[in-house]
Amino acid sequence: MRAVRMHADEADIDETLVRRLVAEQFPDWSGLSVEPVESSGTDNAMYRLGEEMVVRLPRIPGAVNGVAHELRWLPRLAAHLPVPVPRPLREGRPTPAYPWPWSVYQWLEGTNPRVDSLADPDGLAEDLAEFVAALRAVDPIGGPAAERGVPLAERDAPTRAALAQLEGEIDVAAATAVWEEALRVPERRGPAVWMHADLSPGNLLTVDGRLGAVIDFAAAGTGDPTVDLIVAWNLLPASARGVFRERLDVDEATWIRGRGWALSIALIQLPYYRHTNPVLAANARHVIGEVLADPS
């Protein structure tokens, strides 16, 4: 989808490399086609392998741990969720040509939803709420702590640094006011539960307007699940936001914290990806606009 490097420490990955890795480690698949998958993802590169599989390779060192994480936890979570999630098939080894482990998954049908062309926003909101509720209901005992399953205040420094970078590009005063309102809300009290932690349009697949699958569980884990509310602003229109909130029975304080999470993520993404990932930067701008326009 893009030739521009997004990260200073990004690995060089292309079709030739993927064909070589597959041929060397999984020769029974060496005759299958290899095609890049269009994606706004930032941590992993994906290549379709034949018609029924996809190869997923970390782009950066920070994404490497996600390989083992998904191989361990996805099979345990899948049986409890209302829509398909990636099914790991094989794990690839590091080589002199590529330094990290990688993985092969079963291909999942569907397309990433677009905020400006949702066929059934209310239905999608219901599906997303059902997914989040089902994930939260999974037994959290022994589950890994999610990096984003923390109090919102832990994001204050990077969020304010991003605000400083966006002076003149967005309404910084209004964004700061929304952020500070979220920080004033009491922290969540309660046991840790499972969360996906990165419910963005690029990690969702829709079929006929409804949720068909959820992908990329590298950030999934247990903790404060408020971050999973971000999909209300990064994808759903205002008209469907209430459906999502009602189905999850979200109280006012939690909703305000969720809006803060959505704003914080977007503020940090925009200056980082504005020149290297147009899709993600555009979504960040969309989220900021939706948050500032949301009176709830």
Side-chain angles (χ1 to χ4, degrees), residues 135-155:
L135 186 56
R136 292 179 178 181
V138 176
D139 185 354
I141 301 300
E147 184 176 344
R148 286 180 170 176
V150 297
L152 194 61
E154 293 192 19
R155 294 181 64 87

Side-chain angles (χ1 to χ4, degrees), residues 26 29 49 52-55 70-71 74-75 86-92 102-107:
F26 309 125
W29 292 339
L49 180 62
E52 299 179 354
M53 294 176 286
V54 62
V55 178
E70 289 198 327
L71 290 173
L74 275 170
R87 182 164 72 89
L89 301 176
R90 296 184 188 177
E91 180 179 5
W102 49 283
S103 48
V104 182
Y105 294 86
Q106 183 180 40
W107 178 258

